[in-house]
Amino acid sequence: MAAANTPDFNKVLYAPLAEIDPEVQNIIDKETWRQFSGLELIASENLTSRATIEANGSILTNKYSEGLPSARYYGGNEYIDELEILCRKRALEAFNLDPAKWGVNVQPYSGSTANFAALTALIQPQDRLMGLGLPDGGHLTHGYYTAKKKMTASSIYFQSFPYALDPSTQLIDYAGLAAQAKIFKPRLIICGASAYPRDWDYASLKATADKEGAYLMADIAHTSGLIAAQTLNNPFEYCDVVTTTTHKTLRGPRAGLIFFRKDGPGREDLEKRVNDAVFPACQGGPHNNTIAAVATALLQVAQPSFKTYAKQVIANAQTLASSLMAHGYKLQTGGTDNHLVLWDLRPIGLTGSKVEKVCDLLGITINKNAVSGDASAQTPGGIRLGTAAITSRNMTEEDVKVVADFLHRAVQLSLVLQKEAGSKLLKDFIRVATTESDELQGAQQVKVLRRDVVEFARKWPLPGADVSTLQKPAGIEEEF
């Protein structure tokens, strides 16, 4: 609250958001309502805790602290140092790492900046790297490029060559990777993916990296929570560097972490190289409020209850996979080991773009995604689904079967809409799906399915929000 003698030019500093900026408050309220009223199935999203949100929205946002604990470029960082040291400690504890063998930098703003900082630390400009190709489930930051353009910094500043899936199994082709590495001679091999539903053979990757004299880096952005819970293979046994985001299965705020080995030949100065790559090479002062939120999330990850959560995420994903296959649909690799499912829509004549649009209308949030063999990432033949967020809303296997039925109905509805559109163009498909005409069967089915999805979604709590007091905010149209 402002003091009696607070000048007018400072009174704005004490007013709540709803009073000082009702427009932004309304947008936040609408997004809260959207999350409450829908099903979040994007594999790279999750719902963080109330405590994490409180830390992320704290007064720590005021402090500037370029540098590392006890070596800052600004004064007044004694408590920030305490926080960052605590966050590092919790990061190592969450992944059961020996601090004598592993270190961690907790300052990266995101997974992408963590990855580029790791590349900066490990290799030199125009050195060679290998990562899983994007159409096979890899990530943009693992060296992706097209025939006409280098798409990301990882391909602009380094020479990259993608490895691939075995077409017969749709699993990582480790033998093919080893054969390619023998010819390409990479300085770095990156493992990890954004749309690969199976676990990784880190021992095989390590053998190839050692044979070719390459570093091995794992980007576990998607699976880090499952790895911390010891429900998937452990990359820390084999890798030199491990990066991750913190907001996916780790269930924290939006940020990144870089873990680095401190022992062994060739790693003597890796700690300094990683720290220097983060700051000053790739970013400025850390976001201390986010580091606090990461620390809070990591405390939760280290609890026995988180392991139960991680096991439920996988059980839910496997239930989702088996339910969709029971309807006759094709999934890449025929199932999942982790939190995500990659659904191949090509056999039924749909694109991921169309199903994503329909699901948006229904209150089901998914994303279009390339499947192995796709010719274009712009019109991908599949969709990616994840169960981390719905598990955070308390759903278990029987509830996931209901979600799978909604998805089945959404795909069948998409086929009706495509037929009524009279063409395969996305714009015609969207026009028919959003029409108000009572003459089109598809448009009527959209309304019915939307109602069913919303009624189901609103049965569940939403972390970070008191759903008992939620009211539909201004600007939200009637749903049905």
Side-chain angles (χ1 to χ4, degrees):
M1 178 179 289
N5 61 348
T6 298
D8 287 345
F9 62 78
N10 275 341
K11 287 181 179 178
V12 67
L13 300 178
Y14 300 91
L17 178 62
E19 176 184 323
I20 202 67
D21 195 345
E23 189 173 8
V24 166
Q25 181 65 63
N26 176 250
I27 293 172
I28 294 172
D29 292 344
K30 288 189 290 188
E31 174 59 17
T32 303
W33 188 257
R34 185 195 70 83
Q35 291 185 25
F36 172 55
S37 302
L39 299 174
E40 182 54 72
L41 294 176
I42 291 179
S44 54
E45 294 189 12
N46 206 341
L47 308 174
T48 197
S49 67
R50 173 181 174 178
T52 299
I53 292 171
E54 288 177 1
N56 208 29
S58 69
I59 203 167
L60 292 170
T61 193
N62 293 344
K63 192 70 193 89
Y64 210 6
S65 50
E66 288 180 346
L68 294 168
S70 302
R72 305 288 188 181
Y73 290 79
Y74 295 88
N77 274 294
E78 57 269 30
Y79 301 119
I80 299 303
D81 285 0
E82 182 181 350
L83 171 67
E84 188 166 334
I85 291 168
L86 176 65
C87 189
R88 290 179 186 173
K89 176 176 178 287
R90 288 181 176 178
L92 297 177
E93 290 173 347
F95 288 90
N96 304 289
L97 299 176
D98 182 349
K101 296 180 178 180
W102 282 92
V104 61
N105 189 298
V106 300
Q107 294 188 5
Y109 302 148
S110 69
S112 294
T113 56
N115 281 351
F116 193 73
L119 299 186
T120 301
L122 290 170
I123 58 179
Q124 296 296 309
Q126 296 310 309
D127 275 354
R128 296 180 175 188
L129 65 87
M130 292 178 65
L132 181 63
L134 189 71
D136 286 335
H139 192 262
L140 289 166
T141 59
H142 299 176
Y144 178 62
Y145 60 90
T146 68
K148 295 182 179 180
K149 186 177 181 181
K150 294 182 176 182
M151 302 297 290
T152 68
S154 57
S155 61
I156 293 170
Y157 296 109
F158 306 100
Q159 298 181 59
S160 62
F161 191 82
Y163 56 91
L165 304 182
D166 181 330
S168 64
T169 63
Q170 297 178 329
L171 301 175
I172 300 294
D173 183 359
Y174 293 101
L177 188 165
Q180 289 174 319
K182 185 176 181 180
I183 298 170
F184 187 63
K185 300 296 182 186
R187 191 76 181 91
L188 171 67
I189 296 174
I190 304 174
C191 53
S194 63
Y196 184 63
R198 296 298 181 177
D199 208 347
W200 288 75
D201 184 350
Y202 298 108
S204 175
L205 291 159
K206 176 63 172 172
T208 299
D210 284 349
K211 187 174 182 179
E212 305 306 332
Y215 286 110
L216 181 61
M217 168 180 148
D219 175 359
I220 59 170
H222 267 266
T223 55
S224 55
L226 309 180
I227 290 168
Q230 300 177 320
T231 58
L232 292 177
N233 293 336
N234 184 6
F236 292 95
E237 294 180 11
Y238 303 98
C239 295
D240 300 289
V241 166
V242 177
T243 65
T244 183
T245 56
T246 55
H247 61 273
K248 299 185 178 84
T249 53
L250 211 55
R251 204 158 64 173
R254 301 188 65 84
L257 302 172
I258 306 175
F259 296 88
F260 48 84
R261 276 195 180 273
K262 297 165 68 174
D263 64 326
R267 307 187 187 109
E268 296 83 359
D269 63 344
L270 194 50
E271 179 173 7
K272 178 172 172 44
R273 285 156 57 191
V274 168
N275 288 336
D276 287 349
V278 173
F279 172 83
C282 292
Q283 64 181 51
H287 297 168
N288 298 305
N289 55 313
T290 304
I291 290 175
V294 170
T296 298
L298 291 170
L299 177 67
Q300 297 165 10
V301 170
Q303 306 306 311
S305 59
F306 189 86
K307 181 174 288 190
T308 305
Y309 163 74
K311 290 179 178 178
Q312 189 64 57
V313 168
I314 294 174
N316 283 350
Q318 292 175 339
T319 297
L320 180 61
S322 60
S323 298
L324 293 175
M325 288 188 292
H327 283 296
Y329 297 119
K330 179 182 178 182
L331 305 182
Q332 188 150 306
T333 77
T336 182
D337 296 326
N338 54 36
H339 66 299
L340 68 84
V341 170
L342 193 56
W343 187 352
D344 188 350
L345 298 167
R346 294 173 301 184
I348 58 174
L350 284 172
T351 65
S353 305
K354 290 177 179 177
V355 176
E356 179 188 288
K357 292 295 184 183
V358 166
C359 284
D360 267 345
L361 295 173
L362 302 176
I364 303 174
T365 311
I366 63 172
N367 68 274
K368 58 184 177 292
N369 208 97
V371 286
S372 186
D374 264 342
S376 171
Q378 302 303 316
T379 55
I383 56 175
R384 185 184 63 166
L385 307 169
T387 55
I390 59 173
T391 307
S392 293
R393 291 189 75 181
N394 302 345
M395 297 183 203
T396 56
E397 289 91 335
E398 290 305 310
D399 310 304
V400 171
K401 292 177 183 178
V402 177
V403 174
D405 186 61
F406 287 146
L407 290 166
H408 168 59
R409 291 169 62 188
V411 164
Q412 295 304 307
L413 170 57
S414 297
L415 290 170
V416 172
L417 292 167
Q418 181 167 271
K419 182 177 181 180
E420 291 182 337
S423 82
K424 291 196 173 183
L425 295 177
L426 182 61
K427 65 177 183 178
D428 293 330
F429 181 87
I430 295 172
R431 173 181 51 79
V432 171
T434 56
T435 184
E436 293 296 325
S437 172
D438 292 334
E439 299 177 2
L440 296 175
Q441 181 184 3
Q444 294 306 306
Q445 290 183 24
V446 168
K447 294 178 181 179
V448 172
L449 185 47
R450 164 78 179 177
R451 180 198 63 213
D452 293 347
V453 169
V454 170
E455 288 180 352
F456 176 78
R458 289 181 184 165
K459 294 178 181 179
W460 304 95
L462 180 68
D466 181 359
V467 300
S468 67
T469 62
L470 280 184
Q471 295 184 347
K472 185 171 68 174
I476 297 287
E477 296 180 3
E478 194 62 40
E479 289 90 348
F480 322 122

